[in-house]
Amino acid sequence: MKKIQVQDRTFRLYMSAEEIDQAVKQVAARISADYKDKDSKPIVCPVLTGSYMFAADLTRALDFDAEIAFVRFSSYLGMQTTNHVKRVLGFPDKCKGRDVIIVEDIVDSGISMEYMIGELQALEPASISICTFFFKPGNFQKNFPIDYIGKEIPNDFIVGYGLDYDGHGRMYPEVYVLDED
Ligand code: IMP
Ligand code: MG
C-alpha cells in the first residue's frame, strides 16, 4: 500500500486518481442533467482553497457553460474544525436572482457550509445547491440538504486532491488517509 509523509504524519492511499475521476464524472452528469432545461445556467462558486482541483475537473465535465466565481472562507486549523468561520472572499453580487452551486472539497461538521449558505441567502439568489466531493455523515452537525456528493467517507482525516493537512499535501492527484499505526 502506497504511503506518503505530510509534515509529521504518515498517510496511506485511500482513493486512486481513476476512482476520483469516476466519482467526479458521476456528479457532473447529475448536475448537467438537472440544469439541462434551464434557460439561465448556474453560477458555480468553488470554495478556495480545498476545492480547486475538484472544481477544475468538475467544470470541465459539465455539459454547459457555467459562470465560475471562487469564494474563500476559512475555518480549519490543523486537524480540528473551529466554530469561527471567516469570510476572505465573498459571493459576488451577481448571485442575486441566479441559480448558484456552492462547490466544496469536503463537508465535515457542516459549520463552514452553513455559514456560507447564510451569506449567499442574503444576496437573494434564485436557488442554492450544495455540491461537495467528500462528505463525513458521522461528523455532520447541521441539517441543510446536500444536493451532490462525490463520496461519503468515515470520520477519518484525508489529504490530497486539494485537501490539506496544515497547508500541505494538496497537490496529490490521489487521496490519502491518516495512517494511525
Ligand atoms: P466543516 O466546517 O467542519 O464542515 O469543515 C469544512 C472544512 O474543513 C473543509 O472545507 C476542509 O477545508 C476542512 N476539512 C474537513 N475534513 C477534512 C479532512 O479530512 N482533510 C482536510 N481538510 C478537512
Ligand atoms: Mg474547504
Side-chain angles (χ1 to χ4, degrees):
M1 183 56 76
K2 192 179 170 198
K3 294 197 180 186
I4 58 163
Q5 185 77 25
V6 181
Q7 301 293 87
D8 56 339
R9 303 290 179 130
T10 305
F11 293 80
R12 65 173 188 280
L13 186 65
Y14 181 68
M15 198 176 181
S16 69
E18 291 73 24
E19 289 169 313
I20 291 170
D21 185 54
Q22 277 189 5
V24 172
K25 287 191 171 131
Q26 281 175 16
V27 171
R30 288 187 49 216
I31 296 176
S32 298
D34 288 352
Y35 288 89
K36 180 170 55 89
D37 298 324
K38 299 228 180 186
D39 295 336
S40 154
K41 297 309 174 197
I43 301 180
V44 174
C45 292
V47 184
L48 289 169
T49 301
S51 74
Y52 78 102
M53 245 187 230
F54 174 44
D57 289 341
L58 179 73
T59 51
R60 278 182 288 189
L62 293 175
D63 69 0
F64 58 83
D65 181 6
E67 277 176 59
I68 300 168
F70 281 91
V71 296
R72 184 166 192 184
F73 294 83
S74 59
S75 73
Y76 230 64
L77 272 179
M79 293 190 186
Q80 294 278 303
T81 194
T82 69
N83 281 301
H84 300 280
V85 183
K86 200 174 109 201
R87 180 198 322 117
V88 183
L89 177 63
F91 293 94
D93 292 340
K94 67 179 178 183
C95 289
K96 186 178 172 71
R98 299 283 303 278
D99 294 320
V100 179
I101 306 176
I102 305 178
V103 175
E104 256 290 26
D105 51 354
I106 187 163
V107 174
D108 184 14
S109 66
I111 293 169
S112 324
M113 184 59 82
E114 188 175 72
Y115 183 87
M116 291 187 274
I117 292 169
E119 289 243 329
L120 180 53
Q121 269 165 349
L123 294 174
E124 301 178 339
S127 72
I128 300 175
S129 293
I130 308 301
C131 172
T132 185
F133 193 64
F134 289 108
F135 176 47
K136 293 183 186 171
N139 268 355
F140 194 51
Q141 302 167 14
K142 305 293 177 184
N143 47 29
F144 54 82
I146 304 181
D147 305 274
Y148 308 101
I149 297 171
K151 188 179 169 72
E152 289 194 3
I153 61 167
N155 295 345
D156 300 324
F157 192 83
I158 55 174
V159 294
Y161 197 59
L163 291 135
D164 70 302
Y165 165 46
D166 259 348
H168 294 269
R170 292 192 196 276
M171 72 300 178
Y172 293 100
E174 309 86 21
V175 171
Y176 296 83
V177 64
L178 187 64
D179 200 32
E180 302 285 26
D181 352 278

